[in-house]
Amino acid sequence: MKKFNIRKVLDGLTAASSSSSPFSASAQPGTPRENDVVQETLQTEHFLLCKTVRHGFPYQPSSMAFDPVQKILAIGTQTGALRLFGRAGVECYCQHESGAAIIQLQFLINEGALVSALADDSIHLWNLRQKIPAILHSLKFNRERITYCHLPFQSKWLYIGTERGNIHIVNVESFTLSGYVIMWNKAIELSTKTHPGPVVHISDNPMDEGKLLIGFECGVVVLWDLKSKKADCRYNYDEAIHSVAWHHEGKQFVCSHSDGTLTTWNIRAPAKPAQIMTPHGKQPKDGKKPEPCKPILKVEYKTTRAGDPFMVLSGGLSYDTVGRRACLTVMHGKSTAVLEMDFPIVDFLTLCETPYPNDFQEPYAVVVLLEKDLVVIDLGQIGYPIFESPYPLSIHESPVTCVEYFADCPSELIPALYSVGTRQKRQGYSKKEWPISGGNWGQGTQSYPEIIITGHADGTIKFWDASALMLQVLYKLKTAKVFERARSKEEKPSTDIVDEDPFAIQTLSWCPESRMLCVAGVSAHVIIYRFSKQEITTEVVQLLEVRMQCEFSEVDSPDPGGEQTPTLPSSGASSSPQESEPPTQQSTGSNSSDGARDNIPCLQVRSSPLKQSPGYQVELVIQLVWVSGEPPQQITSLSVNSSYGLVVLGNGNGLAVVDYLQKTLLLNMGMSELYSPSDPYQRQPRSPRKTRQPSGAKMSRKLSSPGEQKPDQDAKDNSFTRSRSSSVTSIDRESGEAISAFYFCESFPRKADVLVSPCLLVGTTQGSVMMVALSLPPGDQRLQQPVGIASCGTLVSLKGGILTMSLLDAAGALLAPSYETWYDPNASDEEKEKSRRRRPASPPSSQEGQDTQLAVLCSEKQAKVVALPSQTRIYKHNITEVSFVLRADVVQMAGTNCIACFCANGHIMTLSLPSLRPLLDVNYLPLTDMRIARTFCFSNLGQALYLTSPTEIQRITYSQETCDNLQEMLSELFTPVETPEAPNRGFFKGLFGGGAQSLDREDLFGETTAGKASRSLAQHIPGPGSMEGMKGAASGVVGDLARARIALDERGQKLGELEERTAAMMASAESFSKHAHNTMVKYKDKKWYQL
């Protein structure tokens, strides 16, 4: 696992943080005294950043392989990613550094290793015997392009076909090239004047390893004798070849061609095909050749012991089936089944009972890799049903538009969501177990519940169980059911403010404890849901229409003065609710003579009764309406509080507070009214937004589909939209201020207050934080009396738009918003009263002149901590000067709290609380995609995630503890399994021959016989795999037990010979020593002239 170099910041080094000490001699009144200093326990040692797991469907898949003994599936992508899947919860992600497309994958079956061939003409050996697979060897071809690879079962010699038509052979143990090369001009007939094209197929005869079948693109197939180094037979056909498949007895093979035909050849009759068939061609009555069809891209020929063989193929449909979806054809005996797929087919594999190619194959399933899905078909049941996939591959079923992540949530939530979600499962799946069942789960200690919520372009919301590094869908909610659907384009209402996906989820607010869910969509609508275990039928959907208009606008207004009358900050809001009546919006709205729409919502709420299954059920729909020809602005921020029974929503016009218990609009306040007249930060009333479009024009969609975005276009469309703040760039500032964040709390609304009371913190895109006081009627009167609301002016201002706000007590502990525990709204009154207890309000009172709370505020540029009720700024930290923060969250970490930030320049940072000391700063991810900006989110206990592609979620951790335990938590891909016994040759085959013929490839391809390959042909690159991994893979690659034993015997024999030779050399050396001594003695006393 790649761990990132972390620029850790020295503890206590606060000079760079621009912090102002609250404990100086001239401390302002109300600041904490020295003995009130919060003891911070978080240090830089608590933080380390690394990737954990990747979930979802591999984006842009290009190839696939399966290990039939280990039962592991590998999928390669066009961006060089490698995804490995085993049983449910066993998955792994690896990445080739070059990022080149993976064109082919080959398992070393039951060896815990995998070979990948890439479009940049490199091949790599992966060791799968370690939890995080690593590359052991790489080989980069310099002069030839790789087109096809073949690794025979239990062989260490890999055949590589090239674009020039040559075949090279690689030893997968040492990753060195053999000197044995099959040149194209030797393989084809000498009389042939044209080049045969690239190699498109290589396979050895199942019954004779010494015979290699080579398919060239032009239509020529050659049976090559490896020993004699010449072609045995050549099979010629006019049409280009796409694939070749053997019958297990090695006497026949089938080719698929570009004209939609299949040719069957007997190996001893190369003159003409034994059979030519066009599976989807119309047979003319006059006996002529059938009409050509689309190419058959792949064919597999699998035999069964008890019945007819299976022939599975992709493509080959007739050309008159224009617009028809991709099909997989299964031919079994006289029956032909054409199985339509939802997306184009990338590849398919037939899963068989045996890994031996020379035995009856007994196929039981077909794995079909589609462009956006993975389908496994059961061949053993009538009708070929599909298996129910245990993998979380449906994240992208509709494009993801927002994501929220909740770690360490209430333990009863996941079972509750699972129980209502099980009723939504489709029927008709195969009754058999999922066939890709290899690997083992990790043994991690991380046991807290985690939930991920994804919002989608079609208005669906999915709840996922993300505990223990796994991902499983729990429950799916369709918000579009609340609205009438236009049956055709002609019926599409002209009040839409988006061109497509009018139900797309823009942002959501969820209270895990009360299970209240509030959802905002792109059509300026909000839906409030309650969770119930009982099914109900809602006769009339409760509807509330809100008129939020541009302040002091020049457009026509119902008011005589032509200006909006300032809304009093009280319960008497200017907009009256429309509730409990069938939604007849068109009658309440009007189109004036000049065609200006007024009081018309963007979507039509359904008028018929709505059957609501157990799970989330609609409580109230809030819709912003057109105002004098101007469309409503999309909702930029949203929050729900179950304890107060309030929902607050904001956009560029201001904010609206809705009481969902009384179904009334409490407040509809413009931006300028939030700044009270006595406020020093008061802004001048502004003119209408210059970016408004003419009446009737449609606004550009803010949440465009992932994968279709261009950074320039996104900037224009202002689609840099996150889950809680719609404006995270300076682009928005040109078009005025909008609400960007809300936070319900129990605090001190004004400086002079000594008692805490319900409050609402409001943050804007221009860095202002306002305090709004809430006055809740006591207990029994809550449903009769209105809630009082008063704006208390600006609390503080920061640089950049506000992203997150939170509240700490004097000891630095997080003061979470109060909530009401969950109760079933459809249960009896007695049961409701039992469970309906509001969480008591937090700290009691404040002593005079003493601050008991700290407000934590974070914007795109800086963070501040403000003491309450004195409203004194005690800490400040400038997070970034050159970039801006995209996402910031106050999270729990190691028993305390910190701020986690993700910047547009790719940095991930954490700051301590309350002193805002920098603890972590990692340049993790250069922001190349708007999708990441929109979906990045932090959660508690060092967890974070983002959408790394339109189909995949990448989870990361910034916790040192999680990084240290990651090895234990990850699943194991390789498990020791015995290779099945080879098929019995039978008495007569053993007596008369005819069984499988083996070949000593070592003798044929080894350096002693074949010589060395040209050094300039390919370059060997040692992989970064660890020594332990290299030993593991090397021991696995050697082969089965028998070969290991033989090797051991040979080694023992060689050692014996070596010992004998050593003894002989020692004797020789001793003899030489004696002779030398005698010579020395003989000439010792003689003079030089006597010699």
Side-chain angles (χ1 to χ4, degrees):
M1 178 62 63
K2 184 179 177 185
K3 292 187 180 175
F4 301 88
N5 294 324
I6 297 181
R7 177 167 62 85
K8 290 193 173 180
V9 187
L10 291 172
D11 297 326
L13 183 65
T14 53
S17 69
S18 312
S19 297
S20 60
S21 172
F23 309 121
S24 58
S26 59
Q28 297 178 32
T31 51
R33 294 187 298 272
E34 193 157 356
N35 59 0
D36 294 330
V37 177
V38 175
Q39 293 297 316
E40 294 181 3
T41 55
L42 277 182
Q43 305 296 332
T44 56
E45 290 75 32
H46 288 104
F47 296 91
L48 184 63
L49 193 73
C50 67
K51 292 179 179 178
T52 52
V53 287
R54 183 172 290 201
H55 302 296
F57 182 76
Y59 183 54
Q60 295 179 329
S62 57
S63 56
M64 178 171 62
F66 182 70
D67 186 325
V69 181
Q70 286 290 318
K71 299 199 182 301
I72 294 285
L73 182 76
I75 296 176
T77 74
Q78 292 177 26
T79 54
L82 176 62
R83 295 283 300 279
L84 297 137
F85 296 92
R87 67 179 62 192
V90 175
E91 53 182 303
C92 181
Y93 159 74
C94 316
Q95 177 69 47
H96 292 87
E97 280 189 20
S98 67
I102 300 174
I103 56 173
Q104 205 174 344
L105 294 168
Q106 289 267 306
F107 273 102
L108 279 69
I109 293 171
N110 204 26
E111 306 283 11
L114 174 77
V115 173
S116 57
L118 272 59
D120 65 354
D121 309 308
S122 62
I123 56 170
H124 309 269
L125 178 67
W126 289 87
N127 172 25
L128 307 183
R129 290 182 175 233
Q130 53 196 65
K131 288 193 171 184
I132 302 168
I135 291 175
L136 297 173
H137 298 284
S138 297
L139 198 64
K140 179 83 166 65
F141 280 74
N142 299 322
R143 297 191 311 222
E144 297 199 51
R145 308 293 316 265
I146 296 172
T147 55
Y148 195 87
C149 299
H150 171 62
L151 180 68
F153 178 46
Q154 292 184 328
S155 166
K156 67 175 184 180
W157 297 96
L158 173 72
Y159 301 106
I160 296 179
T162 69
E163 197 173 46
R164 290 187 183 176
N166 304 324
I167 292 176
H168 301 278
I169 300 164
V170 174
N171 183 328
V172 291
E173 284 181 358
S174 61
F175 247 51
T176 53
L177 275 168
S178 164
Y180 191 113
V181 182
I182 303 171
M183 304 299 286
W184 68 271
N185 53 355
K186 299 275 182 69
I188 64 166
E189 288 179 285
L190 295 173
S191 58
T192 309
K193 293 178 181 177
T194 55
H195 190 278
V199 174
V200 294
H201 178 83
I202 308 169
S203 61
D204 45 349
N205 186 319
M207 285 295 180
D208 188 353
E209 294 176 353
K211 300 289 196 294
L212 198 67
L213 197 70
I214 307 164
F216 295 96
E217 190 181 61
C218 69
V220 175
V221 179
V222 176
L223 189 64
W224 182 265
D225 188 312
L226 289 166
K227 286 182 183 174
S228 64
K229 299 184 182 179
K230 65 178 184 180
D232 265 9
C233 299
R234 297 180 179 91
Y235 313 86
N236 291 290
Y237 193 69
D238 295 339
E239 295 294 334
I241 289 176
H242 283 278
S243 73
V244 183
W246 278 101
H247 186 282
H248 83 273
E249 290 178 347
K251 295 175 183 176
Q252 274 189 341
F253 62 88
V254 178
C255 300
S256 72
H257 298 277
S258 57
D259 63 346
T261 57
L262 293 173
T263 54
T264 306
W265 300 81
N266 292 324
I267 60 167
R268 299 188 184 278
K272 65 173 185 174
Q275 186 186 15
I276 302 173
M277 58 189 282
T278 311
H280 296 286
K282 293 177 182 175
Q283 297 293 336
K285 292 178 182 177
D286 52 7
K288 290 182 181 177
K289 197 176 178 181
E291 293 176 11
C293 294
K294 294 174 185 174
I296 296 176
L297 300 175
K298 186 175 182 179
V299 63
E300 290 204 342
Y301 191 12
K302 303 297 178 185
T303 52
T304 59
R305 208 176 293 275
D308 295 313
F310 281 87
M311 206 174 278
V312 186
L313 53 107
S314 63
L317 296 177
S318 62
Y319 280 103
D320 59 8
T321 55
V322 178
R324 188 172 176 181
R325 291 187 292 187
C327 292
L328 186 82
T329 306
V330 180
M331 300 166 70
H332 182 223
K334 292 182 178 178
S335 73
T336 300
V338 181
L339 310 174
E340 274 200 359
M341 302 290 154
D342 290 336
F343 305 101
I345 296 171
V346 175
D347 195 4
F348 74 87
L349 292 170
T350 309
L351 308 189
C352 301
E353 296 288 355
T354 177
Y356 293 93
N358 58 356
D359 194 10
F360 285 99
Q361 298 298 287
E362 304 295 347
Y364 59 89
V366 181
V367 181
V368 189
L369 179 62
L370 309 175
E371 278 187 6
K372 293 183 180 179
D373 202 1
L374 182 74
V375 176
V376 183
I377 297 160
D378 185 355
L379 291 179
Q381 278 184 249
I382 298 167
Y384 304 132
I386 64 170
F387 289 87
E388 184 177 9
S389 174
Y391 308 139
L393 301 181
S394 61
I395 291 169
H396 63 289
E397 198 172 13
S398 171
V400 176
T401 53
C402 81
V403 181
E404 288 295 340
Y405 187 12
F406 301 86
D408 202 18
C409 47
S411 58
E412 68 276 4
L413 260 177
I414 289 175
L417 288 164
Y418 180 79
S419 66
V420 294
T422 48
R423 307 180 191 201
Q424 301 177 327
K425 290 197 173 177
R426 282 176 49 194
Q427 303 298 315
Y429 288 113
S430 169
K431 294 178 175 61
K432 295 179 187 172
E433 292 290 315
W434 180 252
I436 304 161
S437 55
N440 282 321
W441 295 319
Q443 304 296 318
T445 54
Q446 189 173 303
S447 57
Y448 49 84
E450 297 174 76
I451 289 177
I452 295 170
I453 304 178
T454 54
H456 299 264
D458 63 355
T460 57
I461 292 173
K462 290 180 184 176
F463 291 78
W464 306 81
D465 176 7
S467 312
L469 296 186
M470 295 188 189
L471 194 69
Q472 180 185 12
V473 70
L474 290 170
Y475 172 70
K476 184 175 173 181
L477 173 65
K478 295 181 179 177
T479 64
K481 281 185 175 179
V482 177
F483 302 101
E484 300 283 4
R485 282 184 177 270
R487 292 186 180 86
S488 63
K489 288 184 179 179
E490 289 74 29
E491 289 183 45
K492 201 170 181 182
S494 57
T495 52
D496 280 5
I497 57 171
V498 287
D499 293 327
E500 55 181 23
D501 297 329
F503 309 113
I505 307 301
Q506 179 134 351
T507 184
L508 59 89
S509 173
W510 187 51
C511 175
E513 289 79 12
S514 66
R515 305 184 192 174
M516 288 297 298
L517 175 67
C518 199
V519 179
V522 292
S523 296
H525 64 276
V526 172
I527 310 173
I528 302 166
Y529 288 93
R530 282 187 188 272
F531 186 85
S532 173
K533 293 181 178 178
Q534 299 178 24
E535 184 177 295
I536 59 163
T537 300
T538 305
E539 295 298 324
V540 177
V541 175
Q542 301 277 307
L543 171 65
L544 194 63
E545 292 184 351
V546 179
R547 183 182 174 92
M548 294 179 78
Q549 66 190 76
C550 189
E551 304 139 19
F552 302 97
S553 61
E554 295 164 3
V555 297
D556 293 337
S557 169
D559 300 307
E563 294 183 350
Q564 180 183 353
T565 308
T567 309
L568 294 172
S570 67
S571 58
S574 61
S575 292
S576 59
Q578 301 172 11
E579 63 163 294
S580 306
E581 297 173 332
T584 53
Q585 297 95 321
Q586 296 298 336
S587 59
T588 59
S590 64
N591 283 336
S592 59
S593 56
D594 61 350
R597 300 181 186 87
D598 197 48
N599 280 352
I600 302 172
C602 303
L603 298 172
Q604 181 99 11
V605 173
R606 65 182 289 161
S607 53
S608 55
L610 177 64
K611 183 182 176 184
Q612 305 205 67
S613 303
Y616 275 101
Q617 298 170 351
V618 180
E619 175 85 357
L620 178 66
V621 177
I622 305 164
Q623 286 186 293
L624 304 189
V625 295
W626 286 66
V627 177
S628 305
E630 291 290 335
Q633 288 188 34
Q634 291 179 340
I635 292 155
T636 58
S637 192
L638 180 71
S639 187
V640 62
N641 186 283
S642 57
S643 180
Y644 308 154
L646 300 178
V647 165
V648 58
L649 54 111
N651 61 13
N653 289 339
L655 67 87
V657 182
V658 172
D659 182 340
Y660 65 78
L661 298 177
Q662 296 187 29
K663 313 286 192 297
T664 55
L665 174 67
L666 296 172
L667 178 72
N668 181 4
M669 183 180 276
M671 286 298 301
S672 61
E673 298 164 59
L674 280 168
Y675 301 94
S676 63
S678 60
D679 184 34
Y681 298 102
Q682 185 186 9
R683 311 293 164 93
Q684 293 300 315
R686 56 188 176 80
S687 58
R689 296 176 63 152
K690 298 289 185 257
T691 54
R692 288 292 183 94
Q693 294 184 348
S695 173
K698 292 187 179 181
M699 292 170 67
S700 59
R701 183 179 165 203
K702 279 199 176 182
L703 282 171
S704 43
S705 300
E708 301 170 356
Q709 303 176 14
K710 297 173 185 171
D712 294 340
Q713 188 62 37
D714 274 290
K716 289 174 193 168
D717 289 353
N718 183 22
S719 65
F720 215 145
T721 309
R722 297 187 320 103
S723 56
R724 281 189 292 176
S725 165
S726 78
S727 94
V728 287
T729 63
S730 56
I731 297 165
D732 274 33
R733 306 217 180 109
E734 298 167 12
S735 52
E737 195 169 13
I739 306 289
S740 60
F742 291 120
Y743 188 74
F744 283 104
C745 56
E746 308 256 338
S747 188
F748 306 95
R750 301 168 188 84
K751 283 188 182 182
D753 288 346
V754 292
L755 292 173
V756 295
S757 61
C759 299
L760 173 66
L761 284 171
V762 181
T764 75
T765 56
Q766 292 196 356
S768 296
V769 178
M770 276 82 75
M771 186 77 89
V772 175
L774 306 171
S775 174
L776 296 169
D780 298 339
Q781 299 173 34
R782 173 65 184 85
L783 296 177
Q784 285 78 38
Q785 296 292 323
V787 177
I789 304 176
S791 174
C792 302
T794 300
L795 175 69
V796 68
S797 280
L798 285 78
K799 288 182 188 172
I802 303 297
L803 298 178
T804 192
M805 301 177 286
S806 206
L807 210 61
L808 307 178
D809 65 12
L814 188 68
L815 294 173
S818 58
Y819 58 82
E820 185 178 66
T821 52
W822 176 77
Y823 66 92
D824 197 322
N826 301 320
S828 64
D829 291 340
E830 289 178 18
E831 287 178 30
K832 282 185 191 179
E833 287 305 316
K834 278 182 192 174
S835 57
R836 201 171 168 181
R837 295 189 204 95
R838 282 193 176 80
R839 184 168 168 261
S842 318
S845 61
S846 166
Q847 298 168 11
E848 195 69 35
Q850 173 93 27
D851 285 326
T852 59
Q853 289 185 348
L854 299 170
V856 179
L857 314 159
C858 186
S859 75
E860 297 169 336
K861 291 287 187 180
Q862 57 184 196
K864 286 184 182 180
V865 174
V866 176
L868 297 175
S870 68
Q871 301 186 6
T872 310
R873 190 260 291 165
I874 58 170
Y875 293 107
K876 175 180 133 184
H877 174 68
N878 292 323
I879 299 170
T880 176
E881 296 292 341
V882 294
S883 184
F884 54 93
V885 180
L886 293 167
R887 175 80 185 220
D889 288 290
V890 175
V891 291
Q892 293 173 16
M893 177 82 177
T896 182
N897 307 293
C898 64
I899 300 178
C901 305
F902 174 56
C903 279
N905 60 6
H907 282 251
I908 289 177
M909 291 174 271
T910 58
L911 306 172
S912 71
L913 285 176
S915 69
L916 303 178
R917 276 182 305 120
L919 296 171
L920 171 77
D921 187 349
V922 185
N923 186 4
Y924 168 70
L925 184 82
L927 182 62
T928 54
D929 203 324
M930 290 292 187
R931 182 191 313 105
I932 297 169
R934 197 180 62 241
T935 58
F936 199 104
C937 48
F938 294 99
S939 192
N940 294 327
L941 305 173
Q943 305 298 328
L945 62 80
Y946 57 92
L947 216 68
T948 186
S949 74
T951 63
E952 295 165 293
I953 286 175
Q954 177 67 56
R955 289 167 71 177
I956 62 173
T957 182
Y958 49 96
S959 158
Q960 172 81 53
E961 185 186 0
T962 306
C963 288
D964 291 344
N965 297 329
L966 190 59
Q967 278 286 344
E968 290 177 26
M969 293 157 64
L970 292 172
S971 52
E972 286 182 282
L973 289 167
F974 180 80
T975 50
V977 181
E978 280 195 25
T979 304
E981 284 187 16
N984 194 347
R985 290 174 66 186
F987 175 74
F988 289 105
K989 281 188 178 178
L991 191 64
F992 301 112
Q997 303 293 312
S998 61
L999 172 75
D1000 187 352
R1001 294 189 179 94
E1002 184 71 45
D1003 183 49
L1004 202 58
F1005 304 143
E1007 198 174 304
T1008 50
T1009 309
K1012 287 187 177 181
S1014 168
R1015 284 189 179 182
S1016 61
L1017 183 63
Q1019 175 191 358
H1020 177 257
I1021 305 160
S1026 63
M1027 281 305 295
E1028 183 188 338
M1030 289 178 80
K1031 286 174 188 170
S1035 64
V1037 173
V1038 167
D1040 57 12
L1041 198 60
R1043 287 189 306 171
R1045 226 182 257 127
I1046 292 164
L1048 203 62
D1049 292 344
E1050 286 175 359
R1051 193 183 298 161
Q1053 192 179 334
K1054 285 174 183 173
L1055 280 171
E1057 290 170 6
L1058 184 64
E1059 200 175 333
E1060 288 170 15
R1061 266 184 285 173
T1062 307
M1065 285 171 70
M1066 283 175 72
S1068 173
E1070 198 174 335
S1071 169
F1072 177 76
S1073 174
K1074 282 180 185 174
H1075 283 299
H1077 181 73
N1078 292 338
T1079 307
M1080 185 265 293
V1081 169
K1082 183 178 177 182
Y1083 295 106
K1084 184 180 177 185
D1085 299 322
K1086 292 191 177 182
K1087 303 291 182 185
W1088 64 270
Y1089 52 83
Q1090 293 177 316
L1091 294 174

